[in-house]
């Protein structure tokens, strides 16, 4: 009987829905296992074959754990807010929800065809008010919380207010943007607005004036990863630095806990190191510098306080408030010109590009160690968000300071004995100090380590600074000037934010007539007519009623994309709950994600924010685990395999003539990308090519052996290169099981690898061979009779099967799926050669292949007469007894040259082996003289050495 994959796959995809095969509920009698994929943004282009790679890998593991007896949660949903849908809405006037839902329907159709074991009853969409109600709820809790430095966790702001009422800021232990000082009496006399401003300094969700990547053309703030080379990734529009009032999340409060948590989770060391670098912990000293001829002063942070005597200039970040304060009238025009230049540069540009730029402020600082005047410069290589936004420059011992000093001809003072700074800075943190003394203090003769300790002590004792731990991690900017995003549940009274009652959540997106910013520059929500909050009736009303004393304007910004993806793993545990993000029982059962699969591009975005969000919820008692993702696997990228045709460009030649790859050297040609879907095994379908584009209707071809052979290259899979392969086409031609096997067979899950449709035939042929073990050759078994019998498996069959059980069981745990598939191919070939028809042996094969190729496994499971789904079959355990080798094959060599093989019992001793070989007639004809010795290499060979 023929392997009819289309009928089989359609049958079982329908059956799984009808039988609710993948529906999962909490079951206290079973151990849980939670598998999660980073959910997709549903773009209009749909899935290409690279997208399902991680989904297939995690699905194999989820099915494997289910067969091992675990209660497996394997959900899927959609990260449904995004700029592409909004841009399309601006262009067409179509509501972004319509576009998004159409894209989701397409994604769902494509995913279903591949046969995933997702529990679709738990689907979430971040744009669904039922879902984003809990994003709004979490934001409100952050607004009503502060970070306690004494308990090292988030606490309700009401506790801070109670402390202020009793003791003011004394020993309040609250982490704030600035250090504030006031008494209980002063707090009591503050106005309501002043109290709100003070609390804003401590809230975990807070409003602040901050520098952002502003894209005027898109009318919105962009994250760093949405900007490349000063332009937006989406559209390529110019981006400038701009100070704006934005909602922020105090992610930095959790910096140390985010670092510590990395030691508790099973992630790759490279990914952990990426996060450590992003968090950027450094221990150092804050030192106060006075401004010459002024009562002003400012603070710098340094990890090398021992280098204070080598400071020859100071540098301010262009965004620093000190720039305006310290720029002298004489330098104002030059400074403003420089600031205009920096506005067009993102922080990423400034960090990556090491070209030297800067401008003198006109002011000087006083070095507190030797009272010398130091010029204060402004330069883009200093960022406002790290430390204090001002640095002391020690060019002799820092490469960027050195380049700056050389460029602007500033002094360079070496502080280490023997340090040669004539060509470059001396960055080593060792040696004996020199040039480091004044009437106040001396470090000369000390080692660097001793000097650092002595300087910290001096700074503290003299009251000119303090020892401090600093982090590079920034607070997250949480506002976007877009329509298509979660609305903030916030209204404004006296220009201060207040939360709408949690009982009124969700605050849903209003209808608007256009999706672009207003003519006055407000975000798109500024167009909404019904967008004000009535505090008397707790409802949304018209903006025309704002003059009423109980009606106030609502927030016009929306939340960024990462808002909805930060806690979605918790919502999957209990997606229909209307009273809580997740019930205590569901949270206690599922706890956290056992296996998370996604791309490395989220290392410093989503994975930082999600860990922060979860830690906040853990502090607040809404998550029972401090870390959300126990194990993380990053799938590699599937690259495209592009094809090319070669258009002849010789003078006078027909522009519509194309030469085959092997003959192109004879002509001057231009390579042109061609749609890979009209190419098979690098051979172009000529008729399809002519129909592909109007300009090729009358194309002519110079062929090789009657064929047009295309060139090829490995490139990123993209529509512009015509190398996007739609998985639907693969499923239609070869089947979902073939697609699943082939994507895993391409190479290790974590590695990037090229897609080559030319190689997919091998996996398809393997499935046909697998099918033939049960039904034989279709020509000889036209009636489709199952050829399996109840005979006992032979020793060889047991060996083949148990070797496979061991290999696949171990490889799945290592995500080494490609070697598992190779092992399947070897085993099927062995069983076919053995003519194995044993039900016991073949049933085990069906169980083993079920995670990889579930459709064919279900069909054969049913054909074998088994009840229920193969998903619930018990994963087999290998028996080492069957793997013991009963015999060993040795090569027989004469004077080092192998002539033939001989088989011996595995326990044969060397004497027996030697006697048997010498007695063999084949050996006698190769021995041409006196035997000197017989060398036996265990399990490999016998070498007879003779003298001619």
């Amino acid at each position: 009987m023929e392997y009819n994959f289309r009928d089989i796959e359609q049958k079982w995809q329908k059956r799984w829905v009808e039988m609710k095969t993948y529906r999962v509920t909490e079951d206290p009698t079973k151990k849980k296992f939670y598998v999660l994929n980073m959910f997709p943004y549903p773009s209009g282009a749909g899935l290409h074959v690279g997208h399902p790679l991680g989904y297939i890998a995690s699905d194999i593991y989820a099915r494997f754990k289910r067969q091992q007896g675990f209660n497996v949660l394997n959900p899927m949903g959609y990260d449904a807010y995004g700029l592409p849908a909004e841009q399309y809405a601006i262009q067409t006037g179509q509501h972004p929800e319509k576009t998004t839902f159409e894209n989701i329907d397409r994604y769902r159709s494509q995913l279903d065809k591949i046969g995933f074991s997702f529990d679709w009853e738990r689907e979430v969409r971040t744009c669904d008010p039922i879902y984003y109600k809990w994003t709004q709820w979490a934001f409100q809790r952050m607004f009503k919380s502060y970070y306690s430095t004494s308990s090292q966790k988030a606490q309700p702001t009401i506790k801070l207010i109670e402390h202020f009422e009793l003791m003011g800021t004394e020993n309040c232990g609250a982490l704030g943007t600035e250090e504030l000082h006031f008494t209980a009496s002063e707090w009591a006399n503050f106005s309501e607005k002043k109290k709100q401003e003070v609390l804003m300094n401590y809230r975990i969700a807070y409003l602040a004036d901050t520098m952002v990547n502003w894209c005027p053309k898109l009318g919105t703030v962009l994250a760093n990863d949405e900007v490349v080379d000063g332009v937006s990734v989406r559209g390529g529009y110019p981006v400038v630095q701009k100070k704006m009032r934005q909602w922020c999340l105090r992610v930095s409060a959790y910096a140390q806990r985010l670092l510590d948590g990395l030691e508790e989770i099973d992630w790759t060391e490279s990914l952990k190191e990426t996060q450590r670098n992003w968090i950027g912990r450094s221990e150092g000293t804050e030192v106060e510098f006075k401004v010459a001829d002024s009562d002003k002063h400012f603070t710098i942070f340094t990890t090398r306080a021992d280098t204070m005597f080598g400071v020859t200039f100071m540098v301010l970040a262009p965004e620093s408030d000190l720039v305006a304060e310290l720029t002298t009238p004489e330098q104002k025009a030059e400074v403003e010109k420089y600031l205009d230049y920096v506005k067009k540069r993102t922080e990423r540009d400034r960090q990556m590009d090491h070209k030297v730029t800067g401008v003198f402020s006109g002011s000087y600082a006083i070095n507190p160690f030797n009272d010398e005047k130091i010029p204060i410069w402004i330069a883009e290589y200093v960022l406002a968000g790290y430390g204090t936004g001002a640095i002391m420059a020690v060019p002799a011992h820092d490469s960027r300071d050195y380049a700056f000093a050389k460029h602007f001809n500033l002094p360079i003072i070496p502080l280490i004995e023997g340090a040669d700074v004539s060509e470059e800075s001396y960055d080593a943190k060792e040696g004996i100090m020199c040039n480091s003394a004044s009437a106040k203090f001396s470090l000369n003769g000390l080692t660097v380590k001793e000097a650092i300790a002595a300087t910290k002590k001096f700074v503290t004792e003299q009251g000119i600074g303090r020892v401090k731990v600093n982090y590079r991690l920034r607070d997250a900017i949480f506002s976007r000037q877009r329509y298509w995003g979660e609305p903030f549940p916030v209204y404004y009274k006296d220009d201060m934010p207040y939360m709408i009652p949690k009982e009124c959540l969700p605050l849903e997106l209003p209808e608007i007539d256009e999706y672009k910013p207003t003519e006055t520059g407000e975000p798109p929500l500024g167009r909404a007519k019904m967008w004000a909050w009535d505090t008397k009736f707790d409802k949304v009303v018209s903006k025309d009623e704002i003059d009423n004393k109980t009606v106030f304007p609502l927030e016009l910004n929306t939340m960024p994309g990462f808002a909805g993806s930060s806690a979605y793993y918790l919502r999957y545990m209990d997606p229909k709950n209307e009273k809580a993000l997740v019930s205590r029982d569901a949270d206690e059962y599922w706890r956290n994600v056992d296996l998370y699969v996604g791309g490395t591009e989220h290392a410093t975005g989503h994975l930082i924010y999600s860990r922060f969000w979860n830690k906040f919820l853990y502090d607040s008692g809404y998550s029972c685990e401090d870390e959300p993702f126990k194990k993380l696997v990053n799938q590699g990228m599937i690259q495209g395999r592009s094809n090319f045709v070669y258009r002849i460009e010789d003078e006078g030649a027909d522009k519509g003539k194309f030469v085959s790859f092997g003959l192109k050297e004879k002509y001057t040609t231009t390579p042109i990308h061609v749609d890979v879907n009209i190419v098979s095994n690098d051979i172009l379908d000529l008729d399809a090519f002519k129909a592909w584009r109007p300009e090729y209707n009358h194309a002519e071809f110079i062929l090789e052996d009657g064929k047009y052979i295309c060139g090829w290259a490995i490139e990123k899979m993209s529509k512009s290169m015509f190398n996007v392969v739609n998985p639907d086409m693969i499923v239609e031609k070869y089947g979902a099981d073939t697609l699943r096997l082939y994507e895993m067979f391409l190479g290790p899950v974590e590695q990037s690898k090229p897609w080559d449709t030319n190689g997919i035939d091998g996996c398809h042929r393997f499935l046909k061979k697998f099918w033939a073990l049960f039904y034989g050759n279709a020509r000889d078994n036209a009636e489709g009779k199952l050829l399996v019998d109840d005979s006992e498996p032979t020793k060889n069959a047991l060996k083949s099967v148990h070797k496979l059980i061991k290999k696949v069981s171990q490889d799945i745990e290592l995500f080494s799926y490609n070697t598992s598939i190779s092992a399947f191919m070897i085993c099927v070939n062995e069983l076919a050669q053995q003519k194995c028809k044993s039900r016991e042996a073949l049933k085990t094969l069906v169980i083993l292949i079920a995670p990889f190729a579930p459709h064919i496994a279900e069909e054969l499971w049913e054909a074998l007469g088994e009840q229920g789904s193969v998903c619930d079959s018990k994963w087999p355990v290998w028996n080492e007894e069957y793997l013991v080798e009963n015999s060993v094959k040795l090569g027989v060599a004469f004077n080092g040259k192998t002539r033939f093989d001989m088989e011996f019992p595995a326990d044969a001793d060397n004497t027996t082996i030697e006697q048997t070989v010498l007695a063999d007639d084949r050996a006698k004809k190769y021995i041409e003289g006196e035997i000197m010795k017989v060398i036996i290499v265990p399990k490999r060979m016998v070498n007879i050495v003779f003298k001619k």
Side-chain angles (χ1 to χ4, degrees):
M1 184 170 76
E2 199 69 59
Y3 167 47
N4 189 335
F5 63 86
R6 291 191 184 89
D7 289 350
I8 290 170
E9 291 177 1
Q10 289 173 10
K11 167 186 172 181
W12 286 103
Q13 287 167 12
K14 182 180 179 184
R15 183 86 62 87
W16 289 332
V17 174
E18 293 170 348
M19 302 302 293
K20 297 182 184 263
T21 303
Y22 302 127
R23 184 172 184 267
V24 62
T25 57
E26 293 72 38
D27 184 351
T29 67
K30 285 184 174 182
K31 287 180 65 178
K32 70 93 183 184
F33 199 91
Y34 187 172
V35 176
L36 183 63
N37 295 279
M38 293 183 188
F39 61 176
Y41 171 72
S43 74
L47 295 172
H48 63 61
V49 291
H51 293 128
L53 177 69
Y55 305 157
I56 296 170
S58 65
D59 192 59
I60 289 171
Y61 201 87
R63 291 173 179 275
F64 167 65
K65 299 307 284 187
R66 178 169 173 170
Q67 288 178 267
Q68 284 189 322
F70 287 86
N71 190 26
V72 178
L73 175 57
N74 183 24
M76 179 52 80
Y78 303 97
D79 193 4
Y81 282 125
L83 191 55
E86 181 143 4
Q87 286 301 109
Y88 188 72
I90 292 171
Q91 294 164 10
T92 65
Q94 180 174 284
H95 198 292
E97 180 181 77
K98 184 177 188 299
T99 309
T100 301
F101 285 4
E102 288 173 353
N103 293 343
I104 285 175
D105 289 343
R106 183 178 180 187
Y107 265 58
R108 175 63 189 273
S109 172
Q110 290 185 289
L111 291 169
D112 283 346
K113 289 176 183 176
I114 302 174
F116 294 113
S117 59
F118 298 137
D119 179 0
W120 284 108
E121 290 184 18
R122 293 176 180 260
E123 176 194 311
V124 299
R125 302 179 180 186
T126 57
C127 66
D128 188 337
I130 295 171
Y131 177 82
Y132 68 65
K133 167 183 178 178
W134 299 106
T135 308
Q136 294 176 340
W137 166 85
F139 170 80
Q140 287 191 339
R141 291 211 59 86
M142 291 181 190
F143 179 80
K144 295 177 180 179
S145 300
Y146 74 100
Y147 197 83
S148 168
T149 56
S150 53
S151 65
Q152 287 297 308
K153 62 184 289 190
Q155 299 280 9
T157 310
I158 189 67
K159 288 188 176 183
L160 189 59
I161 295 171
E162 291 170 354
H163 185 96
F164 289 162
E165 290 173 343
L166 292 173
M167 302 176 65
T169 53
E170 183 181 352
N171 298 323
C172 70
L175 189 67
T177 305
E178 300 177 35
E179 267 195 62
L180 302 181
H181 300 281
F182 53 81
T183 65
S185 175
E186 288 172 323
W187 170 262
N189 290 320
F190 287 161
S191 66
E192 170 62 18
K193 183 174 183 179
K194 177 63 176 177
K195 286 181 178 179
Q196 290 301 317
E197 288 173 344
V198 168
L199 291 173
M200 193 66 73
N201 186 65
Y202 299 102
R203 296 185 189 278
I204 289 179
Y206 65 95
L207 273 176
D209 291 326
T210 184
M211 295 302 298
V212 296
N213 300 318
W214 173 251
C215 182
K217 186 73 173 178
L218 295 177
T220 189
V221 168
L222 298 177
N224 281 336
D225 58 3
E226 295 175 306
V227 183
V228 175
D229 296 330
V231 299
S232 61
V233 172
R234 177 66 55 178
Y237 303 120
V239 175
V240 297
Q241 296 294 293
K242 182 178 180 181
K243 185 168 281 191
M244 294 179 65
R245 195 182 188 205
Q246 301 280 289
W247 280 104
C248 301
L249 301 185
R250 206 175 295 279
V251 180
S252 60
Y254 285 81
Q256 189 58 50
R257 284 174 58 186
L258 288 167
L259 273 177
D260 295 341
L262 293 173
E263 306 307 315
E264 309 299 322
I265 51 182
D266 183 11
W267 293 13
T268 62
E269 193 54 39
S270 62
L271 187 59
K272 288 183 181 182
E273 194 59 26
T274 298
Q275 290 214 345
R276 290 189 191 104
N277 292 334
W278 192 258
I279 295 166
R281 186 184 195 275
S282 54
E283 297 183 20
T285 311
E286 279 192 342
V287 183
E288 190 172 284
F289 281 74
K290 293 180 180 179
V291 178
D293 305 318
S294 165
D295 58 356
K296 296 173 182 175
H297 54 83
F298 60 94
T299 303
I300 61 94
F301 173 83
T302 177
T303 58
R304 294 291 307 278
D306 58 300
T307 62
M308 288 286 291
F309 289 100
V311 177
T312 59
F313 59 98
M314 312 293 289
V315 186
L316 303 178
E319 304 84 4
S320 172
D321 292 336
L322 290 168
V323 170
E325 290 184 42
L326 301 184
T327 298
T328 63
E330 296 79 11
Q331 290 296 111
K332 186 176 180 182
E334 195 172 346
V335 168
E336 287 181 350
K337 181 181 177 182
Y338 183 70
L339 295 182
D340 286 339
Y341 155 76
V342 176
K343 283 179 184 176
K344 300 178 177 66
R345 307 262 290 162
T346 67
E347 285 193 2
R348 179 174 291 180
D349 293 336
R350 288 160 58 181
Q351 288 174 303
M352 302 282 288
D353 184 357
H354 288 188
K355 70 180 179 180
V356 179
T357 69
V359 64
F360 178 45
S361 71
S363 293
Y364 293 82
I366 303 297
N367 189 328
F369 278 39
N370 57 17
D371 294 330
E372 291 186 3
K373 290 176 70 172
I374 312 164
I376 302 173
W377 286 71
I378 302 157
E380 63 175 318
Y381 79 93
V382 177
L383 303 176
Y386 181 68
T388 64
I391 69 160
M392 60 179 213
V394 186
H397 303 288
D398 180 275
S399 58
R400 297 201 73 173
D401 292 347
Y402 185 90
F404 194 90
K406 281 287 190 181
H407 187 82
F408 291 105
N409 197 28
L410 296 167
I412 299 172
I413 304 172
L415 303 176
I416 303 294
E417 290 183 1
D420 180 6
V421 294
S422 58
E423 299 295 332
E424 60 182 358
S425 60
Y426 182 81
D427 297 343
K429 298 179 181 179
E430 56 187 26
I432 303 300
M433 303 295 296
C434 66
N435 298 327
S436 299
S438 70
K440 294 181 178 182
F441 185 54
S442 175
L443 298 173
N444 286 341
L446 299 180
T447 65
V448 169
K449 186 176 180 180
E450 290 169 341
I452 291 174
T455 307
K456 286 180 178 178
K457 182 180 178 184
F458 176 77
V459 165
T460 304
E461 289 176 349
Q462 295 296 311
I464 57 173
R466 58 176 178 152
V467 175
K468 187 184 179 185
V469 174
N470 209 12
Y471 300 91
R472 187 178 294 113
L473 181 67
R474 315 290 181 77
D475 288 342
I477 297 173
F478 202 61
S479 296
R480 295 292 184 271
Q481 292 67 42
R482 299 175 184 163
Y483 171 75
W484 193 230
E486 295 93 335
F488 283 96
V490 174
Y491 65 91
Y492 287 88
K493 182 171 66 174
D494 198 15
D495 204 35
M496 294 304 296
Y498 292 82
M499 300 295 116
I500 70 172
K502 65 179 181 181
E503 297 78 17
C504 299
L505 299 178
L507 176 65
E508 298 190 29
L509 275 175
E511 293 294 326
I512 59 176
D513 54 359
E514 286 187 271
Y515 303 101
K516 59 185 179 182
T518 68
E519 287 70 19
T520 56
E522 290 181 325
L525 284 182
R527 298 179 177 277
K529 294 180 174 61
M530 297 294 289
W531 201 239
W533 187 257
D534 190 328
T535 57
K536 182 177 180 180
F537 297 101
D538 284 334
K539 66 177 184 177
V540 175
V541 296
S542 169
K543 288 192 297 187
D544 295 337
E545 297 183 40
I546 286 177
D547 289 339
N548 186 316
K549 291 183 180 179
T550 64
V551 178
F552 302 96
L554 285 160
E555 171 67 70
L556 299 182
N557 290 315
T558 54
M559 299 184 194
F562 73 83
S565 62
S566 290
Y568 74 119
Y569 93 92
L570 286 168
R571 190 60 180 169
Y572 278 136
M573 298 178 184
D574 198 8
K576 303 296 191 294
N577 194 326
E578 296 180 1
K579 296 181 179 179
L581 169 66
V582 56
S583 70
R584 172 59 60 181
D585 288 345
D587 187 36
E588 290 285 356
Y589 181 75
W590 296 112
R591 304 197 71 81
N592 56 7
V593 176
D594 296 283
L595 172 66
Y596 198 26
V597 178
T600 55
E601 68 272 17
H602 299 292
T604 56
H606 161 66
L607 288 172
I608 289 279
Y609 298 140
S610 193
R611 292 181 64 218
F612 149 74
W613 201 288
N614 185 78
K615 287 179 187 294
F616 170 77
L617 293 175
Y618 175 75
D619 289 352
S620 307
Y622 297 104
S623 174
C624 64
E625 293 284 352
D626 189 39
E627 284 290 341
F629 314 119
K630 288 167 65 175
K631 182 178 179 65
L632 177 68
V633 170
N634 296 127
Q635 85 273 10
M637 180 189 296
I638 288 188
Q639 300 160 307
R641 189 180 190 276
S642 302
N643 279 117
F644 300 91
V645 293
Y646 298 91
R647 187 175 60 196
I648 298 174
E649 302 292 352
D650 287 343
E651 186 176 351
D654 185 348
K655 295 292 184 181
K657 183 173 285 188
F658 298 86
V659 61
S660 185
F661 175 77
L663 304 174
K664 69 183 180 68
E665 300 303 327
K666 298 179 180 180
Y667 304 88
T668 300
T669 62
T670 298
I672 298 172
H673 281 90
V674 64
D675 187 348
V676 296
N677 296 295
I678 59 175
V679 179
S680 178
N681 291 318
D682 294 332
I683 298 172
L684 180 68
D685 182 328
L686 301 182
D687 291 333
F689 178 73
K690 289 180 179 180
W692 177 47
R693 303 272 286 273
E695 61 265 38
Y696 301 143
N697 282 344
H698 304 291
E700 298 178 18
F701 305 94
I702 299 176
L703 307 177
E704 294 178 71
D705 300 325
K707 301 173 183 176
Y708 189 97
I709 300 174
C710 296
W712 62 273
I714 302 303
E715 301 175 300
K716 182 180 178 181
M717 198 170 279
S718 74
K719 289 189 292 184
S720 65
M721 296 175 186
F722 304 107
N723 61 1
V724 172
V725 179
N726 188 325
D728 296 2
M729 297 177 66
I730 303 298
V731 169
E732 172 62 26
K733 187 172 182 180
Y734 297 101
D737 285 341
T738 296
L739 173 67
R740 291 169 64 101
L741 285 177
Y742 185 58
E743 293 225 1
M744 296 300 99
F745 191 54
L746 283 171
V749 172
E750 298 91 342
Q751 291 182 10
S752 293
K753 47 261 178 184
W755 175 270
D756 184 359
T757 308
N758 296 342
I760 203 168
D761 287 321
C763 285
H764 191 58
R765 287 195 302 272
F766 160 71
L767 286 175
K768 288 181 176 180
K769 287 182 181 178
F770 191 92
W771 181 262
L773 289 177
F774 297 80
Y775 287 101
N777 190 300
R779 287 172 297 181
D780 302 331
N781 186 16
E783 66 275 17
K785 180 182 177 183
L786 188 69
L787 303 180
V788 177
D789 57 39
D790 293 320
S791 61
E792 289 293 318
T794 64
K795 285 185 178 181
N796 283 337
L798 287 170
K799 179 181 175 183
S800 295
V801 170
H802 281 259
K803 185 169 61 175
L804 181 65
I805 297 171
K806 182 176 182 178
K807 179 65 174 169
V808 174
S809 299
Q810 293 176 341
D811 282 355
I812 288 181
E813 292 288 4
L814 299 173
F815 296 89
S816 185
Y817 298 148
N818 57 320
T819 53
S820 290
I821 295 167
S822 295
F824 272 117
M825 293 175 173
I826 292 168
C827 182
V828 167
N829 284 337
E830 289 177 351
L831 294 179
Q833 290 171 5
Q834 297 163 17
K835 296 184 169 34
C836 174
K837 297 300 175 188
S838 166
R839 179 182 300 274
E840 179 185 334
L842 297 183
K843 175 182 167 182
T844 302
L845 249 64
V846 172
I847 295 171
L848 290 173
I849 207 168
F852 297 85
H855 305 88
I856 194 173
E858 290 279 24
E859 184 71 11
L860 294 172
W861 186 252
E862 183 181 66
L864 290 169
E866 299 295 332
Q867 298 299 308
S869 170
V870 71
C871 296
D872 296 312
S873 59
K874 186 177 180 180
W875 189 261
V877 178
W878 70 88
N879 187 334
E880 287 287 352
E881 291 183 13
Y882 296 137
L883 304 182
V884 174
E885 297 287 350
N886 296 319
S887 63
V888 61
K889 187 177 288 186
L890 302 179
V892 180
F894 300 87
N895 281 356
K897 192 169 185 178
T898 302
R899 297 297 187 175
F900 55 85
D901 295 330
M902 293 184 70
E903 197 164 302
F904 298 91
D907 57 356
D909 57 36
N910 285 356
T911 301
T912 302
I913 292 173
E914 181 178 332
Q915 291 175 349
T916 305
V917 169
L918 293 176
D920 191 284
D921 289 339
R922 289 173 296 176
K924 293 175 182 177
K925 72 178 184 179
Y926 288 111
I927 299 172
E928 300 176 2
E930 179 186 353
I931 296 175
M932 306 295 293
K933 56 183 174 180
V934 177
I935 302 170
I936 298 174
V937 182
K939 298 184 178 180
R940 288 187 58 195
M941 67 179 298
V942 178
N943 185 22
I944 300 170
V945 181
F946 56 86
K947 185 176 181 181
K948 292 186 179 180

